[in-house]
Amino acid sequence: ILFTFLQGDHVALLSAFAEMGLKLRLDIPEQAMEVMNVFFRTSTPASEALVSSHSRMRPKRWVLVAGNGVVLMVVGGGCCGAPDLPLQCRLMMENMKALAERRTKNMKVMQEKLNLKEKEVKRFNPIDAFPGDIVIFSRVLNLLRGLSSTMDVRINYMDIMRPFAESVLQCNISNGPALNAQWILNTPAHSDLEAKLRHLLVELGNADKILGIQVCAYKNGEVIIDTSAGVLGRYDPRPVQPDSLFPVFSVTKGITAGMLHWLIDHWKLKLEESVSNIWPEFKPNKKDAIKVHHVLNHTSGLHNALADLTRENPLLMCDWDECLNRIALSAPETEPGHEQLYHYMSFGWLCGGIIEHVTGKKFQEILEEVFIHPLKIEGELYIGIPPGMIRTLLDVCAHSNHCVESRLATLTLDTDDLSKLSGMTSRNDLPSTFQPGDIAQLVTTLPAVFNTLDVRRAILPAANGHCSARALARYYASLVDGGVIPPPHSSLSKPPLGSHPHTPIFASKKTPKKRKGVNIKELFAASDNISSSEQRQNYDNSNGESSVGKADSNNYTRLASDSSCSNNSYPTTAEKGTDDNHQTVCKIFSNPGIHDAFLGAGEYENLILPGGKFGLGFRRVCAKDGSIIGFGHSGMGGSTGYCDIRNRFAIAVTVNKMSFGAVTGRIIDFVCSELDIPLPEEFSRGTDLQLNLEKPLIN
C-alpha cells in the first residue's frame, strides 16, 4: 500500500487493498488514493497546530488543537470579531476546509454512482470489509502523530517507512525462478516445443531479464504454446496468469488497423476516400488531400501532430474528444504519400476519428463488435480499460472481486538497457520528435505515466492496448487464415479465454454526418445483405496464390489432450462459409485478398510508398533474405504480435519489464528455429546489444 501511494498507482492500490482484505463496494480509486494521502500525511508540529472553531465555545472564539487532541491555546472571544491568527494557523484552517470540501466531493461521487438520495448516501458505507490489521496500524500511526506534535517536531512518515517497506518486500518477493519454484505457472504443456521454451524462460529469468511474461502461439489453427511466468510487478508478487493484462504500447496499432480494414471489407469505407469527406472537421490546413490509405501507411504528413501536447501535459492525451478536435485542426508537415515517417501517437487519433465518424459509434464499441465478441476474447483485450463502475445497490451486492484492475501488470524498466541508451544513433524512419534522444527521455517516464489509472482508462488507439498474449495470438491466428475464426482456445488454459463477464457500456455517438456522394444507409445495407454464397473465400481456398504464397509444416509434437479444439462453437455475428472439407467456418473478413490489403501488396501496391516498412496499418514482416512472410506490430518495451502467412503461424509475447527487444528476439528465434520456419529480420538480432540499440523494437 505504501509503495502504490508513493508511485500514484491506483491499480496496484486497489489490488493491495483486496490482498489485505479491505473490500470496497464501488469503484472509487481516486478517492482511495486521497484517503491514503491523509493516512500517510506528514505530522504537524505544535507550533503549527491545527486551528478549529469549537462548537461548544462562544462565537468568534478559536481553539488551537494539537494533533493528539490536546487544547494548546484559546484565541479571541466575546464579540470583538475574528482573531488575528498566525499565518500557520490560517494555512491549517484552509487545509481543513480543503479536506472537508474533498469529502463532500467524494460523497457526491458515491451518490451519483449508486443513484442514492442525499439521506441514503450519508448512511451508506463504501467499505464492505475492513481488516483488523489496518485498524491497529492506523491507531499506532495516530499515536505517533500526536506524540510528534506534542514534541513540536515534523515527521515525514514516507521518508522513514519507505526503506523498511522496500526491504521487507524485496525479502518476500522471489522474482526469479531460482528462488521461486512456481515462477512458471504450473499448467500442462501443449507441445514438446512449449516444454523446451519454458527452460529458456527460466534461463532468462535467472539472468534477471524477465519480470513477468506471457507467450502464446498458434500453428495451423491450433494452440501449441500458452505459457505464463513471473510476477505482475516489481512490488506485486502475484503470479502472472493466462488472463493477466499487459500494456503493449504500439502493438495496439495492429488492432486499430484491423478495425479500419473491417470497415473497408464491409463496404463502409474506401481506402481511396479523403478523410475530410468522412470527417468534415478534418479539412482545415490543407488536409483535404489526405486519404485513408495515407493514414494507414504512415504517409499522411501528420507524424509530429500533437507531439507537444503529449510532452507538456501527458494527462491531456486522456481526453479523447479534445485530442480528436486538435488532430482535426493540425497541419501536415509533408505532402501526403511522399514520405513514410512513423506516426507514433497521431496514428491512433487519426484512425479512431475515422472509425467513429464512419460508424457513429464509440471506438471501443466497434472494437467489441468487430473482434472481441466474434473471437470470444471478452475481458482480455482492451484499448482503454473500462472503469469497474457500480451503478446500483444491487450491483454492490453482486460485485465480483475479479475486476479488470486486479489483473493488470505493472511496468518497470530494464535499467541495464536504459544505462546504454546513449549508444543509439539517429534514424531517418522516425519523425523529428521521436528520435533516440527523445526516446531516451520518454522511456524513463513511460512506466510511471502508463501505470496510472487515468492513462490505462484512456482511449489511445496507437499505444494503450491492454491484453493477454492468448487474446493477441488468437487475433493474429484469425488474420493469418484470412479472417477465419479459430476453434475455441485450449481448454488447458485456465480460466477459459473469454470467460470474464465484464462488458462495459458505451454511449453511442450521434448518427454520422452524410458524406459527400455517399449514402450511409445504402452502404450498411449493402454489407448486411451479402449472402454467404457470394462471399469470397479465404486465401487457402482461393484458386489464385496470394502475393505472399503459402506452405505448411508441423515440426512439433502435441503432448496434452485438448478437447476444446473439436468444439466448433462460433458466434452468429460473423459471416459463415465452408472450407475444403465442407465444414462450416465463420469469418471476420470476406476479401480473398485481405492479406494483400494488410501488406499493401498486389492490387493495393499503388496505395503505399515503395520500399517502406509499413503496409496498410501493419508492419511488413520480412525474412533475412528480404522476402515478405507476414505482418504484425511490435511495441516499445518488447511486447509483440505477428503472423507468418506461409506457415499459418501466429505468436504473441507480452512483457512488463521494458527493454530493447533482446528477450523477445531470443524467444521468437527459439520458437522459429524449433518449428523450422523463417525468423523475421526484426527479431534476428538476438542479444546483440549494439544491433538492438540501433533498431530497437519501438514500432
Side-chain angles (χ1 to χ4, degrees):
I1 289 179
L2 181 76
F3 272 98
T4 59
F5 167 69
L6 287 170
Q7 297 169 2
D9 190 342
H10 294 77
V11 173
L13 179 63
L14 295 179
S15 297
F17 278 171
E19 196 167 310
M20 285 196 71
L22 177 60
K23 299 178 182 179
L24 301 178
R25 290 183 171 179
L26 71 168
D27 180 50
I28 49 172
E30 294 85 0
Q31 289 74 21
M33 187 64 75
E34 288 180 356
V35 169
M36 288 299 99
N37 187 43
V38 174
F39 192 75
F40 289 120
R41 70 187 184 279
T42 299
S43 68
T44 305
S47 57
E48 300 175 13
L50 177 67
V51 176
S52 65
S53 176
H54 201 289
S55 60
R56 288 173 295 180
M57 296 293 181
R58 294 191 303 248
K60 311 303 182 185
R61 176 167 292 185
W62 299 84
V63 182
L64 225 58
V65 185
N68 59 355
V70 177
V71 177
L72 300 178
M73 186 192 310
V74 179
V75 184
C79 300
C80 57
D84 184 15
L85 297 175
L87 175 61
Q88 297 96 328
C89 297
R90 292 201 300 271
L91 290 175
M92 291 307 301
M93 288 177 61
E94 292 174 4
N95 289 338
M96 290 302 298
K97 181 179 179 182
L99 286 173
E101 290 175 350
R102 185 182 300 173
R103 182 181 183 279
T104 302
K105 179 182 177 182
N106 292 343
M107 295 298 288
K108 186 175 181 180
V109 169
M110 288 192 294
Q111 184 176 356
E112 292 175 352
K113 287 192 174 186
L114 294 170
N115 195 25
L116 298 175
K117 296 179 181 179
E118 189 172 348
K119 290 183 178 179
E120 291 176 327
V121 76
K122 289 180 179 179
R123 295 194 300 267
F124 176 71
N125 185 357
I127 299 175
D128 186 48
F130 205 91
D133 288 348
I134 292 184
V135 175
I136 299 298
F137 183 69
S138 62
R139 289 176 177 174
V140 171
L141 202 59
N142 282 329
L143 285 171
L144 292 173
R145 185 174 287 112
L147 179 61
S148 61
S149 294
T150 302
M151 298 175 67
D152 199 24
V153 293
R154 185 187 305 278
I155 300 296
N156 189 322
Y157 291 100
M158 291 292 94
D159 291 346
I160 295 174
M161 296 169 66
R162 177 169 186 151
F164 292 97
E166 188 169 18
S167 175
V168 170
L169 281 172
Q170 289 178 344
C171 289
N172 285 277
I173 296 180
S174 300
N175 288 329
L179 301 175
N180 184 0
Q182 302 300 318
W183 187 78
I184 288 184
L185 194 67
N186 187 20
T187 55
H190 293 78
S191 62
D192 57 344
L193 169 58
E194 183 171 17
K196 294 177 183 178
L197 174 66
R198 291 178 177 181
H199 289 293
L200 174 62
L201 296 182
V202 168
E203 176 188 330
L204 293 170
N206 283 327
D208 198 26
K209 306 307 294 182
I210 293 176
L211 180 64
I213 192 169
Q214 296 169 323
V215 183
C216 184
Y218 280 73
K219 186 73 170 68
N220 300 325
E222 295 184 347
V223 179
I224 60 171
I225 299 171
D226 191 359
T227 286
S228 304
V231 294
L232 287 178
R234 183 183 177 192
Y235 296 114
D236 189 342
R238 292 175 299 156
V240 173
Q241 302 286 342
D243 63 341
S244 297
L245 302 176
F246 283 70
V248 293
F249 293 101
S250 288
V251 173
T252 315
K253 291 183 177 71
I255 300 162
T256 302
M259 295 168 66
L260 270 178
H261 279 285
W262 184 88
L263 292 174
I264 295 163
D265 186 71
H266 286 68
W267 298 9
K268 300 173 184 179
L269 181 66
K270 295 180 180 179
L271 283 166
E272 299 86 351
E273 194 166 2
S274 295
V275 176
S276 60
N277 190 36
I278 305 160
W279 185 357
E281 297 83 1
F282 188 78
K283 192 172 184 179
N285 293 317
K286 301 179 180 179
K287 295 198 296 297
D288 47 338
I290 298 176
K291 301 184 184 299
V292 173
H293 65 82
H294 291 137
V295 171
L296 287 170
N297 192 227
H298 296 266
T299 56
S300 74
L302 293 169
H303 39 274
N304 285 324
L306 273 62
D308 292 339
L309 176 150
T310 56
R311 297 173 190 279
E312 295 171 6
N313 184 5
L315 290 182
L316 190 55
M317 66 182 177
C318 300
D319 189 333
W320 173 244
D321 292 329
E322 177 63 19
C323 289
L324 291 186
N325 292 335
R326 293 196 181 202
I327 202 79
L329 298 174
S330 61
E333 297 180 25
T334 58
E335 289 291 324
H338 284 205
E339 192 171 3
Q340 188 177 86
L341 291 169
Y342 186 49
H343 290 41
Y344 60 102
M345 286 299 293
S346 56
F347 181 89
W349 293 311
L350 292 169
C351 291
I354 293 171
I355 290 168
E356 289 200 349
H357 281 80
V358 166
T359 63
K361 298 179 180 180
K362 295 296 289 182
F363 176 87
Q364 293 159 307
E365 191 174 356
I366 295 299
L367 173 62
E368 294 202 348
E369 178 184 339
V370 174
F371 295 133
I372 305 301
H373 295 315
L375 291 173
K376 292 191 173 181
I377 53 176
E378 287 88 351
E380 294 194 30
L381 195 157
Y382 295 102
I383 299 180
I385 66 167
M389 182 175 291
I390 303 170
R391 289 171 291 277
T392 67
L393 280 173
L394 289 177
D395 290 336
V396 170
C397 298
H399 183 45
S400 170
N401 289 329
H402 302 289
C403 60
V404 176
E405 289 89 345
S406 68
R407 295 186 284 118
L408 294 174
T410 303
L411 294 167
T412 190
L413 283 175
D414 187 324
T415 53
D416 290 339
D417 274 12
L418 181 63
S419 64
K420 300 165 185 173
L421 193 59
S422 58
M424 292 175 63
T425 56
S426 60
R427 292 177 55 177
N428 57 14
D429 61 327
L430 299 177
S432 60
T433 57
F434 201 58
Q435 287 297 316
D438 305 293
I439 297 171
Q441 295 178 354
L442 180 64
V443 75
T444 57
T445 61
L446 275 180
V449 173
F450 277 79
N451 282 338
T452 64
L453 197 59
D454 285 340
V455 174
R456 288 183 188 267
R457 288 180 174 176
I459 307 173
L460 298 172
N464 200 33
H466 286 76
C467 65
S468 63
R470 62 181 185 176
L472 183 61
R474 185 169 176 80
Y475 170 70
Y476 277 105
S478 173
L479 298 192
V480 78
D481 280 343
V484 173
I485 298 174
H489 191 77
S490 168
S491 62
L492 302 175
S493 184
K494 303 293 183 182
L497 178 60
S499 62
H500 289 282
H502 188 103
T503 304
I505 299 174
F506 305 107
S508 292
K509 294 169 70 69
K510 295 180 180 179
T511 303
K513 296 179 181 179
K514 186 175 181 180
R515 286 141 58 186
K516 186 177 180 180
V518 178
N519 188 315
I520 295 290
K521 290 184 178 179
E522 289 179 3
L523 276 180
F524 275 71
S527 66
D528 291 339
N529 291 330
I530 299 175
S531 66
S532 60
S533 62
E534 293 174 320
Q535 297 299 334
R536 293 168 289 184
Q537 297 298 307
N538 159 338
Y539 260 20
D540 292 340
N541 298 331
S542 62
N543 294 324
E545 287 286 328
S546 75
S547 59
V548 178
K550 58 184 179 181
D552 191 12
S553 63
N554 270 340
N555 291 315
Y556 63 93
T557 303
R558 297 196 64 82
L559 296 181
S561 175
D562 177 13
S563 60
S564 68
C565 292
S566 62
N567 179 18
N568 293 323
S569 175
Y570 298 108
T572 57
T573 55
E575 297 165 356
K576 293 184 178 180
T578 57
D579 61 12
D580 290 336
N581 298 320
H582 305 290
Q583 298 293 318
T584 300
V585 296
C586 290
K587 302 175 65 177
I588 297 174
F589 296 98
S590 60
N591 180 6
I594 193 64
H595 289 157
D596 283 349
F598 294 157
L599 293 164
E603 64 179 291
Y604 302 92
E605 192 172 6
N606 64 326
L607 299 180
I608 69 168
L609 192 69
K613 295 179 179 178
F614 290 95
L616 291 172
F618 295 89
R619 176 162 176 149
R620 292 172 157 192
V621 175
C622 300
K624 291 182 179 180
D625 61 6
S627 62
I628 300 174
I629 59 175
F631 54 89
H633 220 297
S634 295
M636 180 175 283
S639 293
T640 193
Y642 87 92
C643 59
D644 180 330
I645 301 171
R646 297 175 178 178
N647 294 286
R648 291 187 65 201
F649 171 70
I651 189 169
V653 179
T654 57
V655 297
N656 60 354
K657 189 169 190 176
M658 299 176 63
S659 66
F660 292 118
V663 170
T664 306
R666 282 281 303 276
I667 293 169
I668 300 293
D669 188 356
F670 177 82
V671 172
C672 290
S673 176
E674 289 290 319
L675 292 175
D676 194 23
I677 61 177
L679 173 66
E681 187 276 334
E682 181 181 1
F683 302 105
S684 63
R685 297 161 292 171
T687 56
D688 189 320
L689 179 63
Q690 183 59 37
L691 288 174
N692 279 287
L693 289 174
E694 290 173 357
K695 297 288 183 180
L697 296 183
I698 59 174
N699 295 332

